[in-house]
């Protein structure tokens, strides 16, 4: 692992790091904020998954999470959203696919199946690296994200309820199998058989019996992607039928940007801290 940069912030350290990924077969970059409490004991960790077109840097520079994370004693890990590099298959004119748009799936279709393995990267490889390198308590993990990253957080939590104690999302894509801006990506990554898509669709996972104890979702009412791409009411309906507790906040006048995310970031971190610190 290579240290790209480190800077003191709110008594802790905000770092950016790079390593060669065995899952994605390329160099990957990620950010980690370590709070001051980590000097004395391992701290719970929250994974933040970013959305389409983003890298690790978007939330690091605009998310305004460090002050609250330092107060609560949370390590915050911000991975990249896809493999990157000249040799990585991509559609450079398509912001909804390829570079910056890995959708947190393990692709099964060539030529994407070699590199686009973001599910395995987030679930297995990166936690192992972070656990060996940073003062984290991997028995206390939470996950959240925005848009495509919200989709990733919901699906990963539903498939790994024993791994994560908390899950939340900002404006998640809750039913990517039927959303106009994600269906083409799923077809290219996962093939024509839509049954295979259900493993990466939050609504479908709930319908198929996957469970998680409770979710927090914030959604802006002025979000330009609300009607076509996000549709949080579908997830609410699925959770109600399954008996899953969901707090869905429709935030009047907020859009899809980091102005929205940063406004409610501290509420999400407090949500995670309450669940991650239970019994400690």
């Amino acid at each position: 692992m290579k240290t790209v940069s480190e800077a003191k912030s709110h008594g802790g350290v905000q770092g950016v790091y790079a390593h060669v990924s065995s899952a994605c077969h390329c160099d990957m970059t990620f950010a980690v904020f370590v709070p001051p409490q980590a000097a004395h004991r391992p701290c719970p960790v929250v994974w933040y998954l970013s959305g389409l077109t983003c890298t690790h840097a978007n939330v690091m520079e605009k998310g305004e999470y460090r002050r609250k994370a330092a107060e609560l004693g949370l390590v915050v890990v911000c991975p990249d959203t896809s493999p990157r590099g000249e040799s990585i298959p991509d559609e450079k004119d398509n912001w909804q696919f390829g570079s910056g748009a890995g959708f947190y799936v393990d692709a099964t279709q060539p030529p994407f199946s070699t590199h686009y393995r973001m599910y395995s990267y987030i679930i297995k490889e990166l936690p192992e690296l972070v656990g060996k390198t940073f003062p984290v308590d991997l028995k206390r993990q939470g996950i959240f994200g925005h848009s495509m990253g919200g989709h990733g957080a919901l699906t990963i939590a539903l498939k790994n309820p024993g791994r994560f104690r908390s899950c939340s999302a900002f404006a998640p894509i809750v039913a990517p199998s039927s959303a106009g801006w994600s269906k083409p990506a799923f077809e290219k990554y996962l093939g024509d058989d839509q049954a295979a898509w259900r493993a990466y669709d939050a609504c479908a996972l709930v319908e198929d019996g996957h469970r998680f104890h409770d979710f927090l979702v914030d959604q802006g009412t002025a979000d330009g992607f609300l009607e076509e791409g996000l549709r949080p009411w579908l997830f609410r309906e699925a959770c109600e039928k399954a008996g899953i507790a969901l707090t869905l906040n429709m935030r009047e006048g907020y859009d899809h940007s980091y102005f929205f995310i940063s406004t409610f970031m501290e509420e999400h971190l407090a949500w995670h801290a309450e669940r991650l610190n239970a019994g400690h």
Side-chain angles (χ1 to χ4, degrees):
M1 193 185 76
K2 180 177 71 173
T3 299
V4 177
S5 65
E6 288 184 334
K8 188 170 183 177
S9 179
H10 295 282
V13 176
Q14 175 66 68
V16 177
Y17 308 93
H19 72 115
V20 178
S21 168
S22 59
C24 299
H25 298 282
C26 65
D27 291 342
M28 296 292 288
T29 303
F30 63 99
V32 180
F33 175 71
V34 178
Q37 295 88 336
H40 307 289
R41 63 182 184 274
C43 292
V45 56
V46 182
W47 303 85
Y48 179 89
L49 307 183
S50 289
L52 288 162
T53 76
C54 291
T55 70
H56 68 281
N58 295 74
V59 68
M60 185 180 74
E61 296 170 355
K62 304 175 184 177
E64 301 180 19
Y65 58 83
R66 280 173 289 272
R67 189 198 68 80
K68 192 66 172 180
E71 174 190 321
L72 297 170
L74 295 174
V75 174
V76 181
V77 182
C78 310
D80 202 349
T81 55
S82 76
R84 298 179 191 272
E86 293 184 3
S87 64
I88 307 299
D90 189 18
E91 293 182 4
K92 296 187 183 301
D93 296 327
N94 185 359
W95 64 275
Q96 297 173 328
F97 183 76
S99 181
F103 276 94
Y104 304 100
V105 305
D106 279 351
T108 58
Q109 303 302 301
F112 309 107
S113 54
T114 299
H115 299 283
Y116 287 86
R117 300 187 58 78
M118 290 300 296
Y119 179 81
S120 291
Y121 178 69
I122 297 297
I123 280 296
K124 182 171 175 31
E125 183 178 11
L126 191 55
E128 290 178 357
L129 178 60
V130 168
K132 293 176 182 176
T133 311
F134 298 93
V136 297
D137 180 356
L138 292 180
K139 294 181 180 179
R140 293 187 288 164
Q141 296 187 63
I143 189 166
F144 69 146
H146 170 233
S147 194
M148 177 185 73
H151 137 75
L154 296 179
T155 57
I156 288 171
L158 282 163
K159 291 198 287 185
N160 299 275
R163 167 81 68 89
F164 299 99
R165 292 191 185 184
S166 57
C167 179
S168 70
F170 300 99
I173 307 171
V174 303
S177 295
S178 59
W181 66 346
S182 47
K183 283 180 64 177
F186 270 38
E187 185 172 3
K188 293 170 188 175
Y189 287 138
L190 302 172
D192 295 333
D193 181 6
Q194 295 193 15
W197 302 6
R198 298 182 69 83
Y200 300 104
D201 184 306
C203 288
L205 285 167
V206 172
E207 291 170 2
D208 292 346
H210 291 266
R211 296 292 181 264
F212 197 76
H213 43 80
D214 61 350
F215 294 103
L216 169 65
V217 173
D218 272 272
Q219 172 65 61
T221 62
D223 191 322
F225 302 111
L226 178 58
E227 297 292 334
E228 179 184 355
L230 306 174
R231 304 173 296 166
W233 50 86
L234 297 179
F235 192 58
R236 180 176 58 198
E237 292 168 4
C239 286
E240 287 176 351
K241 289 180 181 178
I244 298 173
L246 167 65
T247 300
L248 173 60
N249 298 316
M250 298 301 295
R251 303 295 190 176
E252 187 66 33
Y254 283 90
D255 61 14
H256 199 68
S257 73
Y258 269 90
F259 296 113
F260 157 63
I261 297 167
S262 63
T263 300
F264 301 103
M265 175 63 76
E266 293 196 357
E267 292 186 21
H268 280 246
L269 291 174
W271 166 279
H272 288 278
E274 181 180 357
R275 287 152 181 78
L276 296 179
N277 288 320
H280 290 267

